[in-house]
Amino acid sequence: VNHNPATITVRLGPRSYNIAVGKGLLPGILSRSPLLRDRPCFVIADRKLHTLTCQITKNLGSRLAGSLYLKGGEPSKQMGTMGKLYEAAARARLDRRSCVIAIGGGVIGDAAGFFAATYLRGLPIIHVPTTLVAQVDSAIGGKTGVNLPSGKNLVGAFHQPMLVVVDTATLTTLPAREFRAGLAEVIKSGVIADSELFGRLEKNLTSILRKDAAELAWIVKRCCAIKADVVSRDERELTGLRAILNFGHTIGHGIEAAAKYSLLHGEAVALGMIGASLLSMRISKFPVKEHDRLLDLIRRTGLPTRLPVKYKPAEILKAMRLDKKVANGQLRFVLATKIGKVKTGIPVAESLVLETIRELQR
Ligand SMILES: NC(=O)c1ccc[n+]([C@@H]2O[C@H](COP(=O)([O-])OP(=O)(O)OC[C@H]3O[C@@H](n4cnc5c(N)ncnc54)[C@H](O)[C@@H]3O)[C@@H](O)[C@H]2O)c1
Ligand SMILES: [Zn+2]
């Protein structure tokens, strides 16, 4: 059953595309899509989504050119995976008309996206995100890539999909920890652009944590619309607008790298948001009351609010210096002025950043 499906458009001229959001859209929506008429399809899916993937491939019938399963989780997002994908694509004799379909979380989406951006110098891709992180964030906006041993997302390309299918029914099987990590990105969307979304999270958190269908549909649609709007206005992070999406990610990425991925991306971002919020109180007049609301919401969501002391602040800082958000050797931050509004590109002295990371350990 398909409850209130919505269509959100990412407006990018000739690269515009739709995001279909609803519960129960799969598997039918793909085989019925005019975009896939006469196109050989190459399916790249998370192993855990085997059942759903089989329903989808069955519906595609003779259009299925090949399929490959990957393991979810950060270790799959590396160059070695690309070799496997390129070989499988060659065996499936894909041509320029072929379409890639990525079914899974952000790891599958980023890896399949980079594959689609580079194989035969670019194939169209449809994203079918199945984690909250992927539905509200990674499947939208065209950022694709893999990690290197020396850093996250260091190799990649911008490659917009031709369609994104967000079926919130897929979230039912998502483990609680992964779900909460996704909520970190939802909270982020509220802080950077939407105080109403933030208020709704505060008010209805219990039903959201229970994965109430109507509540989920509302927040996922809202986040997709925010991301679509930001990407439409600054596709390649050139004007600084898209950088608002990095709120909490400057320190967050440093923590993620220093923790050697034992923390989930969203968990590191939750800590990074608290760090950014502390800096915002000092630098961009973010009211103490708003900081307390953010801290409280993160805590009630079940996300970490304290950085374990085993992660050394100096190492986190070192990892931050390697990140792409560092320009001319200067750390730059997205800081909040109030809930729903942020400023980008704010330089912050390393000594103050270190002090803030230490504060996260108290
Ligand atoms: N491209 C972007 O703009 C962007 C934005 C945000 C995050 N990311 C990237 O996304 C990645 C994190 O994404 P993620 O959290 O989705 O990771 P993931 O793809 O590893 O998924 C998390 C876990 O959930 C499992 N899973 C996926 N769907 C499931 C389902 N429906 N039911 C049960 N289990 C399921 C996976 O197997 C995995 O174990 C990071 O690499 C991050 O850098 C990219
Ligand atoms: Zn993120």
Side-chain angles (χ1 to χ4, degrees):
V1 219
N2 181 0
H3 303 287
N4 308 319
T7 303
I8 293 156
T9 305
V10 183
R11 292 182 199 283
L12 291 168
R15 290 180 307 289
S16 295
Y17 56 94
N18 285 337
I19 308 166
V21 191
K23 188 183 172 211
L25 301 176
L26 294 167
I29 190 171
L30 286 170
S31 47
R32 281 197 309 270
S33 170
L35 293 170
L36 287 179
R37 193 177 298 138
D38 307 325
R39 274 190 195 274
C41 297
F42 186 67
V43 175
I44 302 170
D46 188 311
R47 275 185 209 166
K48 280 192 196 149
L49 292 145
H50 184 256
T51 312
L52 175 68
T53 303
C54 286
Q55 287 167 349
I56 290 170
T57 53
K58 197 172 143 225
N59 277 11
L60 288 170
S62 61
R63 282 171 290 177
L64 184 71
S67 60
L68 195 123
Y69 285 98
L70 296 175
K71 206 165 174 281
E74 213 58 39
S76 287
K77 226 177 98 168
Q78 49 139 317
M79 286 306 288
T81 303
M82 287 304 127
K84 281 187 212 159
L85 289 173
Y86 295 141
E87 282 305 323
R91 280 195 304 274
R93 302 188 186 284
L94 299 192
D95 62 32
R96 282 263 173 83
R97 270 182 321 126
S98 312
C99 179
V100 178
I101 301 177
I103 306 167
V107 162
I108 306 301
D110 281 9
F114 186 57
F115 160 79
T118 49
Y119 192 67
L120 299 179
R121 299 202 179 84
L123 294 177
I125 182 167
I126 292 178
H127 282 297
V128 181
T130 64
T131 62
L132 190 55
V133 170
Q135 296 191 345
V136 301
D137 196 354
S138 64
I140 305 161
K143 278 195 184 177
T144 74
V146 293
N147 306 325
L148 294 183
S150 44
K152 231 178 111 75
N153 299 327
L154 287 178
V155 180
F158 281 99
H159 186 56
Q160 299 295 343
M162 68 176 180
L163 173 71
V164 181
V165 176
V166 176
D167 185 344
T168 51
T170 60
L171 300 178
T172 353
T173 53
L174 194 66
R177 187 179 170 199
E178 299 287 349
F179 183 70
R180 285 194 290 262
L183 285 174
E185 303 281 4
V186 177
I187 295 171
K188 178 197 78 178
S189 302
V191 176
I192 64 174
D194 191 345
S195 58
E196 192 190 340
L197 168 62
F198 194 92
R200 178 117 174 187
L201 292 169
E202 290 179 308
K203 189 160 164 270
N204 298 348
L205 190 66
T206 323
S207 347
I208 295 167
L209 288 172
R210 253 194 272 113
K211 298 186 187 170
D212 173 85
E215 213 50 57
L216 268 189
W218 194 92
I219 60 170
V220 170
K221 275 178 208 167
R222 197 75 174 222
C223 291
C224 288
I226 293 169
K227 179 106 192 221
D229 180 58
V230 171
V231 170
S232 296
R233 290 194 279 160
D234 181 18
E235 183 182 11
R236 293 188 167 227
E237 218 164 291
L238 294 175
T239 71
L241 180 74
R242 185 168 177 158
I244 68 173
L245 298 167
N246 293 332
F247 180 75
H249 283 60
T250 317
I251 295 178
H253 276 162
I255 293 175
E256 202 177 357
K260 306 256 171 353
Y261 306 116
S262 62
L263 284 175
L264 298 178
H265 175 73
E267 292 169 343
V269 167
L271 289 163
M273 286 195 290
I274 299 170
S277 178
L278 289 168
L279 288 169
S280 300
M281 283 196 289
R282 290 191 162 200
I283 300 168
S284 57
K285 303 202 172 91
F286 190 48
V288 183
K289 259 192 173 165
E290 307 252 294
H291 168 81
D292 290 343
R293 281 174 69 193
L294 176 58
L295 189 62
D296 191 50
L297 183 58
I298 291 172
R299 180 178 297 123
R300 285 170 56 216
T301 302
L303 286 160
T305 53
R306 214 173 143 272
L307 177 69
V309 284
K310 65 178 172 195
Y311 306 133
K312 297 287 163 261
E315 261 180 49
I316 294 169
L317 188 67
K318 206 171 123 203
M320 287 171 66
R321 288 199 199 101
L322 244 175
D323 206 41
K324 294 182 290 303
K325 283 178 284 303
V326 180
N328 310 321
Q330 170 78 65
L331 290 175
R332 285 178 195 279
F333 278 78
V334 182
L335 299 180
T337 52
K338 60 179 184 183
I339 283 168
K341 189 113 189 68
V342 288
K343 283 187 186 173
T344 61
I346 317 250
V348 180
E350 287 196 355
S351 55
L352 187 52
V353 176
L354 260 184
E355 200 183 309
T356 304
I357 298 171
R358 286 200 196 98
E359 212 169 322
L360 289 174
Q361 299 192 313
R362 267 179 234 132

